[in-house]
Structures are given as structure tokens and as C-alpha cells.
């Protein structure tokens, strides 16, 4: 069996790669791996989904798998991923399951798993689940019968619990803030506008009419053209874009300019340090964050800790070091004081609270980060390990690093799932970044032709 779990759960084309049979197997294995047997009761699982039509099919399979393993299931319906994590913790459940492919297009779907407390799984637990699935292919599970079969309950007010929780974290009221919210026709369609209105903002919601097929369709955090236009047309102070499962937040200033996750992290880090809540005056980001963020944090006296790409690695560092803020350039922002995973709605709320508290525009707040031009080239290769590690490639990278000095950087990264080597270069100018990136990419191609 190939590796099932990627950087954010199991993902694939629904009913082709990600079949009901696979979803059932993952659910059974997760129940056996994550459930605690010494609680004197049946294992408890929370199951939610985004708005994809295939979510209904996969939810049925997951619920069947969990109950066949003897678990009691609380089905919460369509909710953001962070809401499912929150409710998993609130219910003191053994595990949570979210059916979503995040920002991916509608034909895809995915299975995200949470352990007790609403925390994402470390690599070793995912590997145990995969091993359990493989073992079950040859040795069938011992299934309970009669009263041992799990039961299913629907939680009808999960959304209101989540809305009240998130709105209650606002450090400042949002009265006077006018915001356009792009809900990506996804899981945030109801709860994001509700949270922002509860906190006092005037909200104009767009792409908030999911039909099962239109999630992320030219909308949301990966497609902000419509949001930019709406912000300008409505004279709003800002726009907020979420992705399909609302664990991301990308912003747009009043003049329609994008404010990405790096800039949002900088704004929140400065606000939290001022409030005395930025533990160790430290921010956690991935290696993909722009050098401009690093320079801005250094100038402000804030330490920046880097992790591998993936919000799960940011989460692991935050938990291991007891830190208070981290995230990714893509808009996954984690605030452990309020959430166990990246929460786009929570992020948008705190971003607007900073605007309201200071009276400053989003563009002004975001100007603390001067982003350096960044060029990314995905190089097809025959062997991604060879393409990244070849002596000629390493020598060219070292040459480029000397050439760029303190005004740029190089990141060479084999893809975790595709036969690609990713070459990312930042420099003082777009032209320099592109020239250096293309030079390195040429050496990668020579070292391992596709």
C-alpha cells in the first residue's frame, strides 16, 4: 500500500481515488488506533464535512466504519474544519473526522483526522493507521455485534456553539468596520458572516450560496479577483477570503490589494506582543514565508522559528515550545490560545479587531512587511531526490546564496507527492530572482532528466 496521508490528511478525487470503501477503512482504523479503551464507554467520534456533494457519500461511509468499530458518532453536518476540531475537544471525543479537500476543486475530497482534544495527528500516528488498514486487508477486524454496534446522534446547534466561541475571543469590538467576506461557497457560508456580525462588523457576504458543486469555483482564498472588485464597489474597509473548509484567511485592503498570510502574521504578532500575549516574543512560520516577514520581525525584535511546509508542522512546534502564534503564507494561521488548528474565521476576526483598536487601515498595518519578489519554478525530474541533492545542483545553490547575500535566499525542495523539485528564489528584484531560479532549475534538469 502506498502512503495514504499527505500533508493534510487523505485526499483524492472522490469516488475514484477516495472511494467509500477507502473512507470506511480509514474510519475503522482510526477508531481502533485513536480510541481509548479504559474510559468505560464506547469510543466517541465527531464527524463533519464541507459543502461538496461527495461529502454526503463519504460521510455515510465514515459513519458506517466508525459505528462498525463500536464508536458512538456525533454528526455535526456542514461546518469549518476548525469548528470540527473545536467540537471534538468540547465533546471530549476520542477522535474527530472532517471530510474536506480544503482549497481543492470540487471533484476532490479528503479525510482530515483529529485526536482527542482536537489536535492534528503526528506522522507516527498516521503511520499506525495506515498499518492498521493494511493489516485488515489480510486479517479482518473483530467487529462488535448487538448492543456493541455504535450509535449515531446529530448535533443541531454545533454551528452556534462555534460562533459564540470564536466571537467571544475578539480583543476589541468591530463596530464601524465594513467587510466583504468571500465564503468560497464552502463551510464558512453561514458561520463566518455570523461571527463577524456578532462582533459588531457590517458584513457583505459573497459566494455564500453553496450548491454542492460550486465550492472554490473561481472564488475563495485562491481566487480573490471577485473579492477585490466587491471591496472597491462597496467601499468596504477590507475583504476576507476563506477557502472551502475555512481554515485559511487571506485579506484584501480597501484599495483591493492582497494581504497574504505573512502580512497577517506580522500584524497579529505585533498586536500580541503589545498585549503581552506573544509568548517568548516568538513567531512560528514555514520555510516558504517571504524573507520580508523575517526582516520585519527581526527589526521589531521578534524571533522567527522556521518549520517544514505544512500547518501541521507549525502546530507541532507551537505545542512543543508552548508558543502563541504561527502560520503559513497561504493563510493558515494558528492561535493556540483559542484553537487547536488553523482557523480562518478566528484569524479574520482578530485582524479586524486590530484595525478597530488602532484606527489604522489594513494597508497601513500590512506595510510593516516589505515583500521581496519571489519566483517559484516546479522542475519535472526523473528522481526528485537526485535532482535536489546532486553535487552540481548544491554547488549552484551555494553560489547563488553567496551572490544574494542578505538581500535574498534560495529554497530547494523535492515535492512530497509528485516527481518535481521546487526551486524558490527571493531577491531584491523580480529579474534577479528569476535569473537565479532559472539557473538552478537548469542544473536540476541536467542532474535528473524527466
Amino acid at each position: 500500500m502506498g502512503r495514504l496521508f499527505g500533508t493534510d490528511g487523505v485526499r483524492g478525487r472522490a469516488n475514484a481515488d477516495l472511494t467509500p470503501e477507502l473512507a470506511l477503512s480509514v474510519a475503522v482504523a482510526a477508531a481502533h488506533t485513536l480510541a481509548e479503551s479504559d474510559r468505560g464507554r464506547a469510543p466517541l467520534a465527531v464527524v463533519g464535512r464541507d459543502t461538496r456533494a461527495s461529502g454526503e457519500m463519504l460521510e455515510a461511509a465514515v459513519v458506517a466504519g466508525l459505528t462498525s468499530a463500536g464508536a458512538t458518532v456525533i454528526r455535526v453536518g456542514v461546518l469549518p474544519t476548525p469548528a470540527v476540531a473545536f467540537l471534538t475537544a468540547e465533546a471530549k471525543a476520542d477522535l474527530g473526522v472532517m471530510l474536506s479537500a480544503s482549497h481543492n476543486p470540487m471533484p476532490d475530497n479528503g479525510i482530515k483526522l483529529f485526536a482527542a482534544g482536537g489536535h492534528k495527528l503526528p506522522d507516527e500516528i498516521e503511520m499506525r493507521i495506515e498499518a492498521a488498514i493494511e493489516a485488515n486487508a489480510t486479517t479482518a477486524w473483530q467487529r462488535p455485534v448487538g448492543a456493541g454496534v455504535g450509535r449515531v446522534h446529530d448535533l443541531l446547534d454545533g454551528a452556534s456553539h462555534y460562533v459564540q466561541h470564536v466571537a467571544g475571543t475578539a480583543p476589541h469590538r468591530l463596530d464601524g468596520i465594513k467587510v466583504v467576506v468571500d465564503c468560497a461557497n464552502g463551510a464558512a457560508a453561514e458561520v463566518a458572516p455570523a461571527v463577524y456580525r456578532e462582533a459588531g462588523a457590517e458584513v457583505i457576504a459573497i459566494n455564500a450560496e453553496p450548491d454542492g458543486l460550486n465550492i472554490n469555483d473561481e472564488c475563495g482564498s485562491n481566487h480573490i479577483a471577485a473579492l477585490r472588485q466587491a471591496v472597491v464597489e462597496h467601499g468596504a474597509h477590507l475583504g476576507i477570503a476563506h477557502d472551502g473548509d475555512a481554515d485559511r484567511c487571506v485579506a484584501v485592503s480597501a484599495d483591493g490589494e492582497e494581504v497574504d498570510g505573512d502580512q497577517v502574521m506580522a500584524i497579529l504578532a505585533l498586536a500580541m506582543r503589545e498585549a503581552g500575549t506573544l509568548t517568548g516574543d516568538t513567531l512560528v512560520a514555514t520555510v516558504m514565508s517571504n524573507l520580508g516577514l523575517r526582516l520585519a520581525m527581526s527589526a521589531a525584535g521578534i524571533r522567527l522559528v522556521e518549520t517544514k511546509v505544512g500547518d501541521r508542522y507549525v502546530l507541532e512546534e507551537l505545542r512543543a515550545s508552548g508558543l502563541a502564534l504561527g502560520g503559513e503564507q497561504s493563510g493558515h494561521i494558528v492561535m493556540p490560545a483559542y484553537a487547536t488548528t488553523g482557523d480562518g474565521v478566528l484569524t479574520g476576526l482578530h485582524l479586524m479587531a486590530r484595525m478597530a483598536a488602532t484606527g489604522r487601515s489594513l494597508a497601513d498595518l500590512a506595510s510593516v512587511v516589505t515583500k521581496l519578489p519571489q519566483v517559484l519554478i516546479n522542475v519535472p525530474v526523473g528522481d526528485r531526490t537526485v535532482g535536489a541533492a546532486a553535487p552540481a545542483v548544491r554547488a549552484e545553490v551555494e553560489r547563488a546564496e553567496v551572490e544574494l547575500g542578505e538581500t535574498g535566499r534560495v529554497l530547494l525542495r523535492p515535492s512530497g507527492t509528485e516527481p518535481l523539485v521546487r526551486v524558490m528564489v527571493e531577491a531584491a528584484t523580480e529579474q534577479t530572482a528569476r535569473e537565479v531560479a532559472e539557473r538552478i532549475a537548469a542544473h536540476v534538469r541536467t542532474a535528473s532528466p524527466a
Side-chain angles (χ1 to χ4, degrees):
M1 182 181 70
R3 183 79 204 262
L4 287 178
F5 286 88
T7 55
D8 199 12
V10 179
R11 196 171 293 188
R13 188 162 291 247
N15 216 27
D17 310 308
L18 181 53
T19 62
E21 293 85 353
L22 176 57
L24 188 145
S25 294
V26 170
V28 173
H32 282 272
T33 303
L34 296 172
E36 294 186 14
S37 59
D38 60 352
R39 290 191 176 190
R41 60 158 173 77
L44 182 63
V46 173
V47 178
R49 60 185 175 88
D50 69 18
T51 57
R52 296 162 210 269
S54 61
E56 299 162 1
M57 168 187 74
L58 294 174
E59 178 188 64
V62 164
V63 170
L66 291 169
T67 52
S68 77
T72 299
V73 174
I74 300 175
R75 192 166 49 190
V76 299
V78 174
L79 281 178
T81 290
V84 173
F86 166 72
L87 292 171
T88 299
E90 282 286 289
K92 295 181 170 56
D94 297 277
L95 70 151
V97 184
M98 177 65 184
L99 298 162
S100 175
S102 193
H103 61 283
N104 283 26
M106 184 281 299
D108 292 349
N109 214 324
I111 303 173
K112 300 183 180 186
L113 297 175
F114 296 98
H119 298 287
K120 287 193 174 182
L121 308 185
D123 288 342
E124 58 267 26
I125 299 298
E126 290 182 346
M127 291 173 68
R128 284 174 54 192
I129 292 172
E130 289 187 3
I133 294 171
E134 191 164 13
N136 185 45
T138 55
T139 306
W141 294 115
Q142 211 170 14
R143 300 179 184 274
V145 296
V149 174
R151 305 297 298 273
V152 184
H153 307 279
D154 289 317
L155 181 66
L156 302 179
D157 59 352
S160 63
H161 275 293
Y162 172 71
V163 167
Q164 292 303 312
H165 162 69
V166 176
T169 72
H172 197 282
R173 290 281 299 172
L174 307 185
D175 303 280
I177 297 286
K178 184 176 183 179
V179 59
V180 179
V181 183
D182 186 338
C183 301
N185 290 314
E190 291 187 12
V191 298
V195 166
Y196 300 150
R197 289 185 179 118
E198 179 74 16
E202 178 185 349
V203 179
I204 299 157
I206 64 173
N207 298 310
E209 297 179 355
D211 62 10
L213 307 177
N214 60 0
I215 185 170
N216 297 322
D217 187 9
E218 297 300 318
C219 59
S221 59
N222 277 24
H223 306 278
I224 63 171
L227 178 62
R228 282 174 158 157
Q229 183 178 346
V231 167
V232 174
E233 286 179 353
H234 289 282
H237 294 97
L238 79 158
I240 296 289
H242 299 301
D243 60 338
D245 68 339
D247 62 356
R248 292 190 187 196
C249 171
V250 171
V252 167
S253 64
D255 56 2
E257 291 300 311
E258 180 180 358
V259 175
D260 68 11
D262 285 344
Q263 293 164 297
V264 172
M265 281 191 284
I267 293 168
L268 296 181
L270 292 171
M272 291 172 66
R273 188 182 64 173
E274 184 179 296
T277 58
L278 186 67
T279 309
D281 286 347
T282 300
L283 172 67
V284 179
T286 76
V287 293
M288 288 301 291
S289 277
N290 193 278
L291 180 58
L293 174 63
R294 291 162 174 75
L295 296 175
M297 294 297 92
S298 177
I302 293 174
R303 186 170 71 103
L304 193 138
V305 174
E306 290 185 350
T307 73
K308 293 189 291 186
V309 175
D311 67 322
R312 59 186 297 184
Y313 301 112
V314 173
L315 279 159
E316 287 175 6
E317 178 62 31
L318 289 168
R319 292 184 68 191
S321 301
L323 299 174
L325 180 66
E328 294 187 284
Q329 188 182 61
S330 61
H332 284 118
I333 312 297
V334 188
M335 305 176 73
Y338 310 115
T340 58
T341 189
D343 190 330
V345 179
L346 177 75
T347 301
L349 178 72
H350 283 252
L351 182 64
M352 287 187 279
R354 182 60 171 173
M355 292 172 63
T358 61
R360 296 169 62 187
S361 70
L362 180 58
D364 184 30
L365 290 170
S367 67
V368 66
V369 176
T370 301
K371 293 193 293 183
L372 274 69
Q374 190 177 77
V375 171
L376 175 65
I377 300 176
N378 292 317
V379 185
V381 291
D383 185 321
R384 56 182 182 251
T385 302
V386 171
V393 173
R394 301 313 308 176
E396 186 59 39
V397 169
E398 291 173 6
R399 175 188 165 200
E401 289 174 337
V402 171
E403 178 183 328
L404 295 171
E406 295 295 318
T407 63
R409 69 183 181 114
V410 176
L411 179 64
L412 193 71
R413 186 169 67 90
S415 169
T417 57
E418 301 173 271
L420 299 171
V421 172
R422 307 190 193 281
V423 179
M424 192 276 284
V425 176
E426 290 171 343
T429 68
E430 174 86 18
Q431 180 179 347
T432 300
R434 186 159 300 282
E435 288 175 354
V436 172
E438 288 177 349
R439 206 167 68 214
I440 296 171
H443 279 76
V444 172
R445 293 187 191 97
T446 300
S448 181

